Amino acid sequence: MTCYKQDPDPEPGEGGATERWRALGRKHRKAEHALLGVQYNGMISKPVPLVVQESKHWFWSGTGLRDGDEIPDLVAVEADGFDPSMPRPEDTEQTLLSKSPYDDSMGRGRRIQNTSLCEDQWGTLVFVAGTFHWPLALSRPENLDPQVRRATRNLMDRMLQPRG
C-alpha cells in the first residue's frame, strides 16, 4: 500500500489518486480524526516517554501508573494527536490516555502525542496507541513493558466482554 501524503500520486490507480482523508470532503468530514479521535501529527527523531493521563480509567487499572508517570521510549517514529479543530467520532465518549510532548523532527515545533480510546453507547471501542512503539512493548524482548502489557490486556478483556 502506498500513500502520497505531500507529493502528487505519480501513478493513480482505478480508484483515483491517493489523498489524505483529512483533505477529502467539506469541513474535513472524512478526516481520520472523525473515525479514530486522533490523527497523525508528527515524526519523532528519537523515542520519548509516553506521559500517562486519566490513570483512574479502567484502561490503566492494575498498572500502578498515575497521571504524569512516564513510560520510557514508548513514543517513537510517528505520533498521533488530538486536534480540537477536527471532527470527532460521533456519539462516542473519548478519553485521552496520554499527553506526551515531543519535538517534531520535520521542523514543525513542539507537538503532543495522545493515546485515545473512544466508546459508543453499545460498548464499541476504538483504540489508537498513537505511537509505533506500542507493539514493541508487547512483543520485543528488549522493549517489553509490563504496564503496557497490562493496559493492553485490560483493553482486550473489555473488548471480549459480551455486550447486549
Side-chain angles (χ1 to χ4, degrees), residues 8-23:
D9 185 344
E11 298 178 28
E14 288 181 27
T18 62
E19 295 186 54
R20 293 189 304 177
W21 287 1
R22 67 183 87 154

Side-chain angles (χ1 to χ4, degrees), residues 86-102:
M86 297 301 282
R88 297 171 70 178
E90 291 184 27
D91 301 322
T92 65
E93 181 178 320
Q94 182 178 27
T95 305
L96 297 176
L97 299 162
S98 70
K99 187 175 183 180
S100 313
Y102 70 93

Side-chain angles (χ1 to χ4, degrees), residues 103-119:
D103 291 317
D104 178 66
S105 66
M106 305 295 284
R108 294 175 286 200
R110 196 81 164 149
R111 301 283 175 116
I112 300 293
Q113 174 275 350
N114 298 111
T115 298
S116 174
L117 183 66
C118 294
E119 184 170 4

Side-chain angles (χ1 to χ4, degrees), residues 10 17 31 48 52 55 57 65 86-87 120-121 125 133 135 160:
V48 299
V52 173
S55 62
H57 191 277
L65 293 166
M86 297 301 282
D120 71 12
Q121 64 184 347
L125 300 170
H133 274 200
L160 293 171

Side-chain angles (χ1 to χ4, degrees), residues 47-62:
V48 299
L50 181 130
V51 181
V52 173
Q53 183 173 274
E54 299 294 336
S55 62
K56 292 188 184 337
H57 191 277
W58 59 258
F59 179 84
W60 294 118
S61 179

